[in-house]
Amino acid sequence: MIDLVVVDDDLMLREGLRGWLAGASGMRLAAMAGTVDDLLAQPAPGSGVALLDLMLRDGSDPATNVVRLADAGYRVLVISVWPDERWAAATFAAGAAGYLTKDHDLDALGAAIRQVAAGETVYTPELAFACLRDERPNRPVLSPRERAVLVGYASGLTLGATARRLGIRPETAKTYLDRVKAKYREAGRPTYTKLDLANRVREDGLPVESPELGT
């Protein structure tokens, strides 16, 4: 059973979700609120999935809201009326497990909630586009091949396996990986180990699977 908490200042949407969840299999509504402050003040499970509206009327920072909910034990799925590239990338870097616009139907929402609850990340086209266009100063600019090597290696492949999937020599893959590490160091984000690389992939919202890896 997935415990779901909802933070959205649209009362009509909250009541609509309440009715939908009453008949949804495998999910139950644990708490609802119009702000993160109000949610965290309630007796709530402190686990499960938090459905978070991107822009709340209290003017709270979306990325900070994600951090607060994640620190409270929730996996966060951000929802928004429209795709906002800057905030989609920022909330993902802050720890959100996905970003979904409200023009998706309830079946898509249910599938996204189940993915997030299972520990997966919801990479919608809106999120992928936002992350690819993210030009924040502390994010190094990687070439397509550098990004492909980083994603493949950080996702669990050996460097040799990454090279084979890209159709390049292991020595070439190592050169690309060394360039990636150097660019992160220059950006003030030292990156040495495979865990460091995996963290950079998550922080920068890079897709776990890259089209250049044949996936």
Side-chain angles (χ1 to χ4, degrees):
M1 182 65 68
I2 301 169
D3 283 322
L4 185 70
V5 299
V6 178
V7 182
D8 197 304
D9 50 24
D10 185 331
L11 180 59
M12 186 179 294
L13 182 140
R14 293 207 308 265
E15 292 306 311
L17 285 174
R18 188 191 302 276
W20 171 65
L21 287 167
S25 175
M27 292 186 283
R28 63 188 173 199
L29 181 62
M32 277 188 166
T35 67
V36 172
D37 282 338
D38 289 346
L39 178 81
L40 296 180
Q42 297 181 40
S47 63
V49 176
L51 199 62
L52 172 67
D53 188 21
L54 179 69
M55 293 296 182
L56 298 171
R57 292 193 188 101
D58 66 351
S60 53
D61 178 75
T64 300
N65 287 339
V66 169
V67 171
R68 293 182 67 196
L69 290 170
D71 286 348
Y74 298 104
R75 286 184 55 78
V76 183
L77 175 61
V78 176
I79 57 173
S80 177
V81 173
W82 60 82
D84 185 307
E85 293 175 14
R86 181 172 61 95
W87 283 118
T91 54
F92 188 75
Y99 179 93
L100 194 70
T101 52
K102 291 181 180 179
D103 57 355
H104 288 80
D105 60 24
L106 290 174
D107 287 341
L109 176 61
I113 290 170
R114 291 183 178 92
Q115 276 185 262
V116 170
E120 301 173 14
T121 301
V122 179
Y123 283 106
T124 59
E126 296 89 356
L127 177 58
F129 187 70
C131 291
L132 287 173
R133 288 174 59 89
D134 183 16
E135 296 177 350
R136 287 173 291 170
N138 65 338
R139 180 179 179 182
V141 177
L142 304 179
S143 71
R145 191 49 62 91
E146 288 168 348
R147 187 185 304 116
V149 170
L150 166 62
V151 169
Y153 184 67
S155 297
L157 296 176
T158 64
L159 193 57
T162 299
R164 286 193 296 273
R165 295 186 72 178
L166 286 168
I168 59 178
R169 295 172 59 85
E171 296 83 2
T172 304
K174 184 178 184 303
T175 297
Y176 283 126
L177 193 62
D178 288 342
R179 290 179 186 170
V180 168
K181 292 178 179 179
K183 287 183 176 182
Y184 273 108
R185 285 197 298 272
E186 290 169 4
R189 300 164 67 191
T191 300
Y192 302 104
T193 68
K194 194 167 190 174
L195 178 59
D196 291 335
L197 292 165
N199 287 336
R200 300 300 172 261
V201 167
R202 178 186 60 78
E203 291 163 357
D204 289 350
L206 297 175
V208 174
E209 294 182 345
S210 167
E212 294 185 51
L213 290 173
T215 57

